[in-house]
Amino acid sequence: MPRSELRTKTRVQKLSPEELSDIFLSHVYALPDGRKIDLCIQCGTCSASCPTAYAMDYSPREIFAALRAGMLDRVLYSNTAWMCTSCYICTVRCPQQIKITDIMYELKRLGIKYGYTSPSTRAAAMARIFINITNRLGRNNESELMARFYLAGRWGDAIKNAWRGAKMFFRGRLPMPISGRKVAGLDEMRKIRETLERLEEEKMAKEEAR
Amino acid sequence: MELLYYPGCSVEYTAKMYDTSARAVCKELDVELKELPDWNCCGATTYMSVHELVSHGNSARNLALARREGADQMVTVCPACYITLYKTNEYFQTNPEFADLIRQGLQAAGLDYDGGLRIRHLVDVLVNTVGLDEVEKRVTKPLNGLKVAAYHGCMLTRPFGGFDSEERPVILDRITRSLGAEVVDYPLTAKCCGGMVTNTESSKTIPVVARLLREAKYNGADCIAVACPLCHMNLDFYQPEVNQYLGGDYTIPIVYFTQLMGLAFGIPKEKLGFGLELVSADKLVSRYA
Ligand code: SF4
Ligand code: SF4
């Protein structure tokens, strides 16, 4: 079970890179202000401002070059979007008002949906565990999140962080890993989720058809 | 003044000292924080990375509940919650097409939201509604001689700005000064701490954390004051790794700005959650409490 959390469910297989690029571009364009990526002047302000660019396979500026060159499959296989911390400094600085952070989010979502995530990042696994927990409890449980994340192949981190984790636990800063606390409105949340998942599928199908 | 309060998951456990100190300080300032009943996780930066609409739907449930309480504003202390709720709210106010989709989700659950809420962060409320003169009036033990690096992080003012500069916010500096403490130069104040990525890929983001700690030390700070559970976690938890990476001693206590306020107000340190941090703030606290 935990291992499988590392793998991505591949929904679409055997699409050519060109076909994938078209699909992805259609979704990026459909974002609010998504068309603005065509206006990128390759100035590099985003890359120079990005706190984690040094650890990215491609910097944010290169992502926009690749997007327009139809090389999106490569972009998705890179760790770039998953190294994005969502700090929004690129977004507020971009001279062309491209909503770079929102596009990073879209790339993460598309990567998960189409089974294109970088093998060098575990952040996608973390995201999936987080969603499983918040769907089930209505709120996050940090202990369960970290335990499942570590079990899914991060033993080194687990051992390294164990002492500090224990300190936090005994100071009341971590919940019991299996906690009974639940939001009373879980049923409301389930209905919201089911409806919006369906609408999300419809919205994406429409964007691809365009 | 009574204010509806969205605590968020982090402050329930990992950042509980933020919650306790915020409540204690607000009480002192006659701001009654009323917790939103049955709030759910806003989704933070993570849910958004997998499902866009559902993420906004979850976030919007809180907005709908807040309206049901008759509120026209809601305050939160966690910048990630703040920006998530703010963003959903913003769509309701500026993007009717998108809002309509989210509303269909709410309506399926017998809820609805009209976009009538104002989402606020506590620093904004304290400075722009309560006012720093009120804060100064409550100071009984000025933090004279304390040198603070006031660290704003990312999401307090980005991307929406709102109450301070996106590039170089000063609101925490102003609060800190009103307590009698000295604010040291800290040009990296709005540089990111690595956020959730520091959690998942800590080996890759230690340089980011290191830069922040080193600069505070270089500028002579006794502590770094933060307004974000994730900033606190990253700066406090990873100090051993940073010391190893930089090959020196960059140990420095990380405190919530609300803890400093409480200290200056003369609130007992136990009521401010001191002692729960990993890098002890004892030395600093005992100077004033
Ligand atoms: S800052 Fe904007 S215009 Fe400049 S390279 Fe980045 S995306 Fe392109
Ligand atoms: S939002 Fe992401 S891509 Fe943009 S500067 Fe921050 S980490 Fe880099």
Side-chain angles (χ1 to χ4, degrees), chain A residues 188-203:
Chain A
E188 283 171 9
M189 290 183 72
R190 184 182 50 79
K191 286 176 183 154
I192 293 173
R193 186 167 65 243
E194 284 170 4
T195 310
L196 292 181
E197 271 174 2
R198 182 171 50 76
L199 291 179
E200 209 165 79
E201 289 287 332
E202 286 173 19
K203 184 168 165 274

Side-chain angles (χ1 to χ4, degrees), chain B residues 75-240:
Chain B
V75 64
T76 167
V77 290
C78 171
C81 299
Y82 167 68
I83 223 63
T84 307
L85 299 171
Y86 194 110
K87 202 168 187 174
T88 309
N89 199 40
E90 168 101 353
Y91 278 132
F92 273 87
Q93 290 165 354
T94 61
N95 191 336
E97 210 181 317
F98 197 74
D100 188 58
L101 291 174
I102 307 170
R103 280 186 70 196
Q104 289 184 42
L106 289 178
Q107 282 160 355
L111 296 165
D112 207 352
Y113 179 58
D114 62 355
L117 218 53
R118 183 171 165 213
I119 301 297
R120 304 188 68 186
H121 190 277
L122 186 66
V123 291
D124 174 28
V125 173
L126 291 178
V127 173
N128 298 316
T129 304
V130 176
L132 287 181
D133 33 337
E134 284 301 313
V135 172
E136 276 166 28
K137 272 189 219 156
R138 300 302 199 286
V139 174
T140 56
K141 290 186 178 159
L143 306 179
N144 293 333
L146 185 69
K147 292 183 174 173
V148 180
Y151 175 52
H152 291 81
C154 322
M155 295 193 198
L156 209 51
T157 57
R158 285 198 300 268
F160 299 107
F163 55 85
D164 206 346
S165 155
E166 300 99 330
E167 290 275 351
R168 198 351 182 154
V170 291
I171 199 157
L172 280 180
D173 302 20
R174 293 174 62 203
I175 295 179
T176 310
R177 281 200 195 95
S178 74
L179 308 175
E182 185 190 327
V183 177
V184 304
D185 209 17
Y186 199 49
L188 294 185
T189 189
K191 192 94 187 168
C192 179
C193 70
M196 262 309 270
V197 180
T198 297
N199 242 303
T200 45
E201 307 285 350
S202 57
S203 56
K204 290 185 194 147
T205 53
I206 287 304
V208 176
V209 182
R211 209 160 40 193
L212 295 170
L213 296 176
R214 189 177 54 187
E215 182 162 282
K217 279 292 228 197
Y218 279 173
N219 290 334
D222 300 317
C223 66
I224 302 179
V226 299
C228 172
L230 210 47
C231 294
H232 190 286
M233 180 74 191
N234 288 345
L235 295 184
D236 184 46
F237 194 93
Y238 292 101
Q239 291 197 20

Side-chain angles (χ1 to χ4, degrees), chain A residues 11 31-32 48-52 54-55 79 82-93 99 101-102 105-106 108-110 112 120-124 126-128 130-132 134-135 138-142 145-146 149-150 154 157 160-165 167-168 171-176 179 181-189 191-201 203 210, chain B residues 9-17 35-41 43-58 61 65 68 83 87 91 95 98 100-106 108-111 154-155 157-160 166-167 190-208 211 232-233 236-241 256 275-279:
Chain A
R11 296 221 204 146
L31 289 172
S49 310
C50 178
T52 46
Y54 69 90
N79 70 357
W82 293 102
M83 286 307 292
C84 168
T85 66
S86 188
C87 77
Y88 288 100
I89 191 72
C90 52
T91 302
V92 302
R93 284 184 180 167
K99 293 190 170 160
T101 316
D102 290 351
Y105 274 120
E106 183 68 16
K108 292 183 213 181
R109 291 193 289 265
L110 291 170
I112 287 204
S120 75
T121 177
R122 304 278 157 118
M126 171 70 108
R128 250 183 253 111
F130 177 89
I131 278 168
N132 174 285
T134 50
N135 284 351
R139 290 183 193 168
N140 186 17
N141 179 320
E142 291 90 344
L145 182 68
M146 291 323 285
F149 180 63
Y150 289 150
R154 277 287 157 113
D157 282 358
K160 210 175 64 186
N161 296 338
W163 175 239
R164 279 169 279 175
K167 271 194 188 168
M168 286 179 64
R171 289 173 193 180
R173 287 180 58 197
L174 285 171
M176 295 295 286
S179 92
R181 81 193 160 117
K182 276 193 186 125
V183 165
L186 269 184
D187 203 43
E188 283 171 9
M189 290 183 72
K191 286 176 183 154
I192 293 173
R193 186 167 65 243
E194 284 170 4
T195 310
L196 292 181
E197 271 174 2
R198 182 171 50 76
L199 291 179
E200 209 165 79
E201 289 287 332
K203 184 168 165 274
R210 241 175 242 161
Chain B
C9 306
S10 308
V11 310
E12 273 197 305
Y13 285 95
T14 48
K16 66 194 305 179
M17 54 282 219
E35 185 167 331
L36 177 71
D38 204 43
W39 57 271
N40 60 268
C41 173
T45 55
T46 314
Y47 214 112
M48 183 67 70
S49 309
V50 183
H51 288 293
E52 187 184 23
L53 272 181
V54 185
S55 163
H56 285 295
N58 285 343
R61 176 174 175 269
L65 295 183
R68 211 159 62 183
I83 223 63
K87 202 168 187 174
Y91 278 132
N95 191 336
F98 197 74
D100 188 58
L101 291 174
I102 307 170
R103 280 186 70 196
Q104 289 184 42
L106 289 178
L111 296 165
C154 322
M155 295 193 198
T157 57
R158 285 198 300 268
F160 299 107
E166 300 99 330
E167 290 275 351
K191 192 94 187 168
C192 179
C193 70
M196 262 309 270
V197 180
T198 297
N199 242 303
T200 45
E201 307 285 350
S202 57
S203 56
K204 290 185 194 147
T205 53
I206 287 304
V208 176
R211 209 160 40 193
H232 190 286
M233 180 74 191
D236 184 46
F237 194 93
Y238 292 101
Q239 291 197 20
E241 282 81 359
Y256 287 102
L276 300 184
E277 66 281 348
L278 289 173
V279 174

Side-chain angles (χ1 to χ4, degrees), chain A residues 13-24:
Chain A
Q13 272 152 347
K14 306 224 171 62
L15 279 175
S16 71
E18 292 76 27
E19 286 169 310
L20 266 176
S21 265
D22 282 349
I23 291 179
F24 291 147

Side-chain angles (χ1 to χ4, degrees), chain A residues 113-129:
Chain A
K113 182 169 158 119
Y114 290 99
Y116 267 65
T117 50
S118 162
S120 75
T121 177
R122 304 278 157 118
M126 171 70 108
R128 250 183 253 111
I129 300 168

Side-chain angles (χ1 to χ4, degrees), chain A residues 25-56:
Chain A
L25 262 183
S26 71
H27 296 308
V28 173
Y29 277 147
L31 289 172
D33 288 335
R35 280 268 160 199
K36 284 202 173 154
I37 61 163
D38 289 346
L39 303 177
C40 171
I41 54 172
Q42 290 289 298
C43 67
T45 303
C46 48
S47 302
S49 310
C50 178
T52 46
Y54 69 90
M56 291 172 171

